[in-house]
Amino acid sequence: MTDIKAVALNEKVVFRCQLCGECCRHVSDCIMLSPMDAYRLARRLREQGEPVSGTEDVLAQYAHASWLADNFPIYLLNTVGTPNACVFLKDGRCSVYEARPQVCRMYPFSAAPGERGRDFRYFLCMEKPHHFTGGMVTVKHWLSENFTREAKDGMKADYDAIPILGEKVRAMSTEEFQHLLFQFLYYRYYNYELDQPFLPQFLSNLEQLKKLTGGVDDRC
């Protein structure tokens, strides 16, 4: 069995969550937090009474900085203990379930940039074989519940912007990018008011990132 395969929206998949928490363990340096994830977590933790005033508090306490290829900065969720369990796994359950990261919401499916006019391609993640017994789910139905319009719009905007930003970052010297790093992280991850809708802020921040890096789309 391969770990991942492409699926169509109308496809039916044998899958049932076993409530075992295994997909929350052995995830060291695996769960990348998007800006939307950080925003959702900050709002949820604040509701739970945690001393959280913004996304910066979540990222400082529950995540760590890392890099994609070509020096693109990201944040990865922290893990704890010998099984490298997600920091939010408590007593075998997700303590922030309503605000869990998008990758967790979509599991066992994932999305990638689309082709031939489609916004996304979808894949089935099969690294936990014991989940693929019992019930039956339709890809489209699963995604309708776990991949909201706001999440789709945010992910699509990100997919469109990251190649442009990455190209500009690669063209910078190390010194140039280090000089811009704080501002880059600020507009990507930190510049959010928790009492305001996420998506308009995110789209505005993407435009600021493009200006910051000189990242107008030269390919047009």
Side-chain angles (χ1 to χ4, degrees):
M1 175 184 288
T2 57
D3 286 344
I4 190 169
K5 74 169 186 176
V7 290
L9 284 174
N10 61 356
E11 194 168 334
K12 292 184 178 180
V13 173
V14 176
F15 174 80
R16 183 177 62 190
C17 177
Q18 305 290 338
L19 298 177
C20 61
E22 275 304 300
C23 57
C24 308
R25 298 184 178 94
H26 309 291
V27 292
S28 178
D29 292 336
C30 290
I31 302 178
M32 183 172 71
L33 292 181
S34 70
M36 180 179 284
D37 292 333
Y39 172 88
R40 285 172 168 168
L41 285 167
R43 284 174 59 96
R44 181 60 181 168
L45 290 167
R46 187 178 66 172
E47 290 171 1
Q48 292 177 340
E50 296 291 326
V52 170
S53 60
T55 56
E56 63 274 11
D57 296 319
V58 171
L59 296 170
Q61 186 170 351
Y62 299 106
H64 59 279
S66 187
W67 304 90
L68 287 178
D70 302 316
N71 290 334
F72 195 92
I74 60 171
Y75 278 94
L76 297 170
L77 200 61
N78 289 344
T79 56
V80 295
T82 52
N84 290 317
C86 170
V87 68
F88 293 118
L89 185 67
K90 309 292 184 184
D91 299 321
R93 296 289 184 270
C94 177
S95 63
V96 291
Y97 186 79
E98 294 81 358
R100 64 200 184 281
Q102 188 61 44
V103 65
C104 306
R105 291 169 182 265
M106 293 180 65
Y107 183 83
F109 303 105
S110 63
E115 298 175 334
R116 296 188 291 275
R118 296 182 178 179
D119 288 340
F120 303 103
R121 293 174 291 153
Y122 298 104
F123 298 89
L124 176 65
C125 309
M126 300 182 294
E127 73 279 8
K128 307 290 184 183
H130 68 283
H131 282 151
F132 299 96
T133 58
M136 183 81 69
V137 299
T138 303
V139 178
K140 184 177 182 179
H141 178 70
W142 186 268
L143 294 174
S144 71
E145 294 185 344
N146 297 290
F147 195 21
T148 65
R149 171 50 56 189
E150 181 185 48
K152 288 179 181 179
D153 289 346
M155 190 178 291
K156 178 65 166 55
D158 219 17
Y159 282 158
D160 290 343
I162 284 177
I164 302 169
L165 296 173
E167 182 179 332
K168 298 303 178 181
V169 167
R170 288 193 299 272
M172 294 179 185
S173 68
T174 301
E175 292 76 15
E176 286 175 320
F177 185 65
Q178 287 296 326
H179 180 70
L180 291 177
L181 181 57
F182 176 80
Q183 293 180 75
F184 193 99
L185 290 173
Y186 174 77
Y187 284 118
R188 182 146 183 82
Y189 281 103
Y190 299 150
N191 187 34
Y192 297 96
E193 293 289 338
L194 299 185
D195 294 318
Q196 298 298 320
F198 170 79
L199 191 58
Q201 297 183 82
F202 178 63
L203 297 177
S204 175
N205 282 342
L206 282 182
E207 291 306 311
Q208 291 298 325
L209 279 171
K210 291 176 185 178
K211 293 177 182 178
L212 179 69
T213 60
V216 293
D217 194 347
D218 301 332
R219 298 169 294 180
C220 296

